[in-house]
PDB file of all heavy atoms in Angstrom:
ATOM      1  N   GLU A 294      -8.707   6.264  15.213  1.00 98.00           N
ATOM      2  CA  GLU A 294      -9.101   7.148  16.308  1.00 98.00           C
ATOM      3  C   GLU A 294      -7.880   7.633  17.084  1.00 98.00           C
ATOM      4  O   GLU A 294      -7.892   7.698  18.316  1.00 98.00           O
ATOM      5  CB  GLU A 294     -10.101   6.440  17.240  1.00 98.00           C
ATOM      6  CG  GLU A 294     -11.415   6.062  16.557  1.00 98.00           C
ATOM      7  CD  GLU A 294     -12.340   7.263  16.337  1.00 98.00           C
ATOM      8  OE1 GLU A 294     -12.372   8.159  17.195  1.00 98.00           O
ATOM      9  OE2 GLU A 294     -12.990   7.325  15.280  1.00 98.00           O
ATOM     10  N   GLY A 295      -6.802   7.897  16.336  1.00 98.00           N
ATOM     11  CA  GLY A 295      -5.600   8.474  16.929  1.00 98.00           C
ATOM     12  C   GLY A 295      -4.678   7.492  17.629  1.00 98.00           C
ATOM     13  O   GLY A 295      -3.613   7.872  18.105  1.00 98.00           O
ATOM     14  N   LYS A 296      -5.082   6.215  17.679  1.00 98.00           N
ATOM     15  CA  LYS A 296      -4.249   5.221  18.380  1.00 98.00           C
ATOM     16  C   LYS A 296      -3.651   4.228  17.386  1.00 98.00           C
ATOM     17  O   LYS A 296      -4.327   3.846  16.416  1.00 98.00           O
ATOM     18  CB  LYS A 296      -5.094   4.457  19.409  1.00 98.00           C
ATOM     19  CG  LYS A 296      -5.555   5.323  20.583  1.00 98.00           C
ATOM     20  CD  LYS A 296      -6.136   4.483  21.711  1.00 98.00           C
ATOM     21  CE  LYS A 296      -7.573   4.074  21.488  1.00 98.00           C
ATOM     22  NZ  LYS A 296      -8.535   5.171  21.581  1.00 98.00           N
ATOM     23  N   PRO A 297      -2.417   3.789  17.598  1.00 98.00           N
ATOM     24  CA  PRO A 297      -1.823   2.800  16.698  1.00 98.00           C
ATOM     25  C   PRO A 297      -2.743   1.586  16.547  1.00 98.00           C
ATOM     26  O   PRO A 297      -3.452   1.223  17.482  1.00 98.00           O
ATOM     27  CB  PRO A 297      -0.521   2.402  17.410  1.00 98.00           C
ATOM     28  CG  PRO A 297      -0.195   3.556  18.299  1.00 98.00           C
ATOM     29  CD  PRO A 297      -1.517   4.151  18.705  1.00 98.00           C
ATOM     30  N   LEU A 298      -2.740   0.988  15.368  1.00 98.00           N
ATOM     31  CA  LEU A 298      -3.584  -0.187  15.129  1.00 98.00           C
ATOM     32  C   LEU A 298      -3.181  -1.314  16.065  1.00 98.00           C
ATOM     33  O   LEU A 298      -2.011  -1.430  16.452  1.00 98.00           O
ATOM     34  CB  LEU A 298      -3.440  -0.636  13.677  1.00 98.00           C
ATOM     35  CG  LEU A 298      -3.807   0.399  12.619  1.00 98.00           C
ATOM     36  CD1 LEU A 298      -3.668  -0.208  11.227  1.00 98.00           C
ATOM     37  CD2 LEU A 298      -5.216   0.942  12.824  1.00 98.00           C
ATOM     38  N   ASP A 299      -4.138  -2.155  16.409  1.00 96.00           N
ATOM     39  CA  ASP A 299      -3.800  -3.269  17.306  1.00 96.00           C
ATOM     40  C   ASP A 299      -3.001  -4.335  16.547  1.00 96.00           C
ATOM     41  O   ASP A 299      -2.880  -4.304  15.329  1.00 96.00           O
ATOM     42  CB  ASP A 299      -5.048  -3.838  17.992  1.00 96.00           C
ATOM     43  CG  ASP A 299      -6.084  -4.340  17.009  1.00 96.00           C
ATOM     44  OD1 ASP A 299      -5.689  -4.803  15.920  1.00 96.00           O
ATOM     45  OD2 ASP A 299      -7.277  -4.263  17.329  1.00 96.00           O
ATOM     46  N   ALA A 300      -2.474  -5.279  17.301  1.00 94.00           N
ATOM     47  CA  ALA A 300      -1.548  -6.280  16.742  1.00 94.00           C
ATOM     48  C   ALA A 300      -2.198  -7.087  15.618  1.00 94.00           C
ATOM     49  O   ALA A 300      -1.543  -7.495  14.664  1.00 94.00           O
ATOM     50  CB  ALA A 300      -1.067  -7.203  17.853  1.00 94.00           C
ATOM     51  N   LYS A 301      -3.494  -7.294  15.689  1.00 95.00           N
ATOM     52  CA  LYS A 301      -4.215  -8.098  14.698  1.00 95.00           C
ATOM     53  C   LYS A 301      -4.244  -7.406  13.323  1.00 95.00           C
ATOM     54  O   LYS A 301      -4.151  -8.070  12.292  1.00 95.00           O
ATOM     55  CB  LYS A 301      -5.643  -8.344  15.213  1.00 95.00           C
ATOM     56  CG  LYS A 301      -6.535  -9.127  14.265  1.00 95.00           C
ATOM     57  CD  LYS A 301      -7.921  -9.361  14.873  1.00 95.00           C
ATOM     58  CE  LYS A 301      -8.811  -8.130  14.859  1.00 95.00           C
ATOM     59  NZ  LYS A 301      -9.272  -7.712  13.525  1.00 95.00           N
ATOM     60  N   ASP A 302      -4.394  -6.086  13.336  1.00 95.00           N
ATOM     61  CA  ASP A 302      -4.577  -5.336  12.078  1.00 95.00           C
ATOM     62  C   ASP A 302      -3.333  -4.586  11.640  1.00 95.00           C
ATOM     63  O   ASP A 302      -3.220  -4.206  10.478  1.00 95.00           O
ATOM     64  CB  ASP A 302      -5.701  -4.299  12.243  1.00 95.00           C
ATOM     65  CG  ASP A 302      -7.065  -4.936  12.355  1.00 95.00           C
ATOM     66  OD1 ASP A 302      -7.177  -6.138  12.077  1.00 95.00           O
ATOM     67  OD2 ASP A 302      -8.008  -4.211  12.724  1.00 95.00           O
ATOM     68  N   GLY A 303      -2.431  -4.304  12.595  1.00 95.00           N
ATOM     69  CA  GLY A 303      -1.338  -3.384  12.325  1.00 95.00           C
ATOM     70  C   GLY A 303      -0.068  -4.056  11.855  1.00 95.00           C
ATOM     71  O   GLY A 303      -0.097  -5.251  11.589  1.00 95.00           O
ATOM     72  N   PRO A 304       0.996  -3.270  11.801  1.00 97.00           N
ATOM     73  CA  PRO A 304       0.990  -1.820  12.075  1.00 97.00           C
ATOM     74  C   PRO A 304       0.349  -0.983  10.958  1.00 97.00           C
ATOM     75  O   PRO A 304       0.017   0.172  11.173  1.00 97.00           O
ATOM     76  CB  PRO A 304       2.478  -1.472  12.216  1.00 97.00           C
ATOM     77  CG  PRO A 304       3.238  -2.646  11.713  1.00 97.00           C
ATOM     78  CD  PRO A 304       2.342  -3.824  11.618  1.00 97.00           C
ATOM     79  N   TYR A 305       0.114  -1.591   9.784  1.00 98.00           N
ATOM     80  CA  TYR A 305      -0.480  -0.823   8.677  1.00 98.00           C
ATOM     81  C   TYR A 305      -1.644  -1.587   8.068  1.00 98.00           C
ATOM     82  O   TYR A 305      -1.573  -2.805   7.903  1.00 98.00           O
ATOM     83  CB  TYR A 305       0.553  -0.589   7.572  1.00 98.00           C
ATOM     84  CG  TYR A 305       1.726   0.236   7.992  1.00 98.00           C
ATOM     85  CD1 TYR A 305       2.905  -0.369   8.410  1.00 98.00           C
ATOM     86  CD2 TYR A 305       1.652   1.624   7.999  1.00 98.00           C
ATOM     87  CE1 TYR A 305       3.990   0.381   8.816  1.00 98.00           C
ATOM     88  CE2 TYR A 305       2.727   2.393   8.399  1.00 98.00           C
ATOM     89  CZ  TYR A 305       3.893   1.765   8.804  1.00 98.00           C
ATOM     90  OH  TYR A 305       4.965   2.510   9.215  1.00 98.00           O
ATOM     91  N   ARG A 306      -2.687  -0.864   7.699  1.00 98.00           N
ATOM     92  CA  ARG A 306      -3.746  -1.458   6.895  1.00 98.00           C
ATOM     93  C   ARG A 306      -4.228  -0.430   5.882  1.00 98.00           C
ATOM     94  O   ARG A 306      -3.932   0.757   5.997  1.00 98.00           O
ATOM     95  CB  ARG A 306      -4.906  -1.977   7.747  1.00 98.00           C
ATOM     96  CG  ARG A 306      -5.880  -0.930   8.247  1.00 98.00           C
ATOM     97  CD  ARG A 306      -7.101  -1.571   8.939  1.00 98.00           C
ATOM     98  NE  ARG A 306      -7.872  -2.424   8.045  1.00 98.00           N
ATOM     99  CZ  ARG A 306      -8.883  -3.209   8.434  1.00 98.00           C
ATOM    100  NH1 ARG A 306      -9.222  -3.254   9.703  1.00 98.00           N
ATOM    101  NH2 ARG A 306      -9.547  -3.922   7.568  1.00 98.00           N
ATOM    102  N   LEU A 307      -4.965  -0.874   4.883  1.00 98.00           N
ATOM    103  CA  LEU A 307      -5.573   0.052   3.935  1.00 98.00           C
ATOM    104  C   LEU A 307      -7.012   0.300   4.348  1.00 98.00           C
ATOM    105  O   LEU A 307      -7.689  -0.597   4.854  1.00 98.00           O
ATOM    106  CB  LEU A 307      -5.561  -0.510   2.512  1.00 98.00           C
ATOM    107  CG  LEU A 307      -4.205  -0.710   1.839  1.00 98.00           C
ATOM    108  CD1 LEU A 307      -4.416  -1.122   0.379  1.00 98.00           C
ATOM    109  CD2 LEU A 307      -3.345   0.547   1.899  1.00 98.00           C
ATOM    110  N   VAL A 308      -7.471   1.531   4.098  1.00 98.00           N
ATOM    111  CA  VAL A 308      -8.884   1.865   4.211  1.00 98.00           C
ATOM    112  C   VAL A 308      -9.309   2.435   2.866  1.00 98.00           C
ATOM    113  O   VAL A 308      -8.632   3.299   2.299  1.00 98.00           O
ATOM    114  CB  VAL A 308      -9.131   2.860   5.365  1.00 98.00           C
ATOM    115  CG1 VAL A 308     -10.561   3.370   5.341  1.00 98.00           C
ATOM    116  CG2 VAL A 308      -8.843   2.189   6.713  1.00 98.00           C
ATOM    117  N   VAL A 309     -10.391   1.881   2.338  1.00 98.00           N
ATOM    118  CA  VAL A 309     -10.891   2.265   1.006  1.00 98.00           C
ATOM    119  C   VAL A 309     -12.345   2.685   1.201  1.00 98.00           C
ATOM    120  O   VAL A 309     -13.266   1.879   0.999  1.00 98.00           O
ATOM    121  CB  VAL A 309     -10.778   1.079   0.017  1.00 98.00           C
ATOM    122  CG1 VAL A 309     -11.010   1.554  -1.418  1.00 98.00           C
ATOM    123  CG2 VAL A 309      -9.424   0.374   0.145  1.00 98.00           C
ATOM    124  N   PRO A 310     -12.561   3.943   1.610  1.00 97.00           N
ATOM    125  CA  PRO A 310     -13.888   4.347   2.065  1.00 97.00           C
ATOM    126  C   PRO A 310     -14.980   4.164   1.013  1.00 97.00           C
ATOM    127  O   PRO A 310     -16.128   3.911   1.366  1.00 97.00           O
ATOM    128  CB  PRO A 310     -13.722   5.840   2.400  1.00 97.00           C
ATOM    129  CG  PRO A 310     -12.263   6.084   2.472  1.00 97.00           C
ATOM    130  CD  PRO A 310     -11.584   5.032   1.664  1.00 97.00           C
ATOM    131  N   ASP A 311     -14.652   4.289  -0.267  1.00 96.00           N
ATOM    132  CA  ASP A 311     -15.685   4.272  -1.309  1.00 96.00           C
ATOM    133  C   ASP A 311     -15.934   2.891  -1.911  1.00 96.00           C
ATOM    134  O   ASP A 311     -16.785   2.759  -2.794  1.00 96.00           O
ATOM    135  CB  ASP A 311     -15.352   5.297  -2.399  1.00 96.00           C
ATOM    136  CG  ASP A 311     -15.328   6.710  -1.826  1.00 96.00           C
ATOM    137  OD1 ASP A 311     -16.093   6.974  -0.880  1.00 96.00           O
ATOM    138  OD2 ASP A 311     -14.529   7.541  -2.301  1.00 96.00           O
ATOM    139  N   ASP A 312     -15.216   1.867  -1.465  1.00 96.00           N
ATOM    140  CA  ASP A 312     -15.570   0.499  -1.869  1.00 96.00           C
ATOM    141  C   ASP A 312     -16.825   0.091  -1.091  1.00 96.00           C
ATOM    142  O   ASP A 312     -16.888   0.285   0.126  1.00 96.00           O
ATOM    143  CB  ASP A 312     -14.443  -0.492  -1.552  1.00 96.00           C
ATOM    144  CG  ASP A 312     -13.391  -0.582  -2.657  1.00 96.00           C
ATOM    145  OD1 ASP A 312     -13.478   0.193  -3.638  1.00 96.00           O
ATOM    146  OD2 ASP A 312     -12.476  -1.432  -2.539  1.00 96.00           O
ATOM    147  N   ALA A 313     -17.813  -0.477  -1.795  1.00 94.00           N
ATOM    148  CA  ALA A 313     -19.057  -0.860  -1.117  1.00 94.00           C
ATOM    149  C   ALA A 313     -18.827  -2.011  -0.139  1.00 94.00           C
ATOM    150  O   ALA A 313     -19.505  -2.114   0.882  1.00 94.00           O
ATOM    151  CB  ALA A 313     -20.117  -1.230  -2.142  1.00 94.00           C
ATOM    152  N   ARG A 314     -17.859  -2.891  -0.451  1.00 96.00           N
ATOM    153  CA  ARG A 314     -17.480  -3.959   0.491  1.00 96.00           C
ATOM    154  C   ARG A 314     -16.061  -3.713   0.974  1.00 96.00           C
ATOM    155  O   ARG A 314     -15.212  -3.287   0.190  1.00 96.00           O
ATOM    156  CB  ARG A 314     -17.566  -5.321  -0.198  1.00 96.00           C
ATOM    157  CG  ARG A 314     -19.002  -5.802  -0.379  1.00 96.00           C
ATOM    158  CD  ARG A 314     -19.022  -7.099  -1.159  1.00 96.00           C
ATOM    159  NE  ARG A 314     -18.121  -8.088  -0.583  1.00 96.00           N
ATOM    160  CZ  ARG A 314     -17.588  -9.093  -1.290  1.00 96.00           C
ATOM    161  NH1 ARG A 314     -17.845  -9.234  -2.567  1.00 96.00           N
ATOM    162  NH2 ARG A 314     -16.805  -9.962  -0.688  1.00 96.00           N
ATOM    163  N   PRO A 315     -15.778  -3.996   2.226  1.00 97.00           N
ATOM    164  CA  PRO A 315     -14.454  -3.655   2.783  1.00 97.00           C
ATOM    165  C   PRO A 315     -13.387  -4.725   2.536  1.00 97.00           C
ATOM    166  O   PRO A 315     -12.395  -4.777   3.258  1.00 97.00           O
ATOM    167  CB  PRO A 315     -14.749  -3.486   4.272  1.00 97.00           C
ATOM    168  CG  PRO A 315     -15.894  -4.409   4.522  1.00 97.00           C
ATOM    169  CD  PRO A 315     -16.714  -4.472   3.255  1.00 97.00           C
ATOM    170  N   ALA A 316     -13.552  -5.544   1.520  1.00 98.00           N
ATOM    171  CA  ALA A 316     -12.615  -6.658   1.311  1.00 98.00           C
ATOM    172  C   ALA A 316     -11.217  -6.198   0.902  1.00 98.00           C
ATOM    173  O   ALA A 316     -10.257  -6.950   1.061  1.00 98.00           O
ATOM    174  CB  ALA A 316     -13.176  -7.632   0.283  1.00 98.00           C
ATOM    175  N   ARG A 317     -11.101  -4.954   0.383  1.00 98.00           N
ATOM    176  CA  ARG A 317      -9.747  -4.454   0.063  1.00 98.00           C
ATOM    177  C   ARG A 317      -9.155  -3.631   1.214  1.00 98.00           C
ATOM    178  O   ARG A 317      -8.082  -3.057   1.076  1.00 98.00           O
ATOM    179  CB  ARG A 317      -9.761  -3.655  -1.245  1.00 98.00           C
ATOM    180  CG  ARG A 317     -10.072  -4.539  -2.463  1.00 98.00           C
ATOM    181  CD  ARG A 317      -9.690  -3.886  -3.774  1.00 98.00           C
ATOM    182  NE  ARG A 317     -10.533  -2.736  -4.078  1.00 98.00           N
ATOM    183  CZ  ARG A 317     -10.412  -2.016  -5.203  1.00 98.00           C
ATOM    184  NH1 ARG A 317      -9.480  -2.319  -6.100  1.00 98.00           N
ATOM    185  NH2 ARG A 317     -11.207  -0.988  -5.416  1.00 98.00           N
TER     186      ARG A 317
END
Side-chain angles (χ1 to χ4, degrees):
E294 297 285 324
K296 292 192 279 290
L298 301 182
D299 59 31
K301 178 178 75 70
D302 290 348
Y305 297 96
R306 79 173 299 172
L307 294 186
V308 171
V309 192
D311 298 328
D312 274 5
R314 285 176 52 205
R317 293 197 292 182

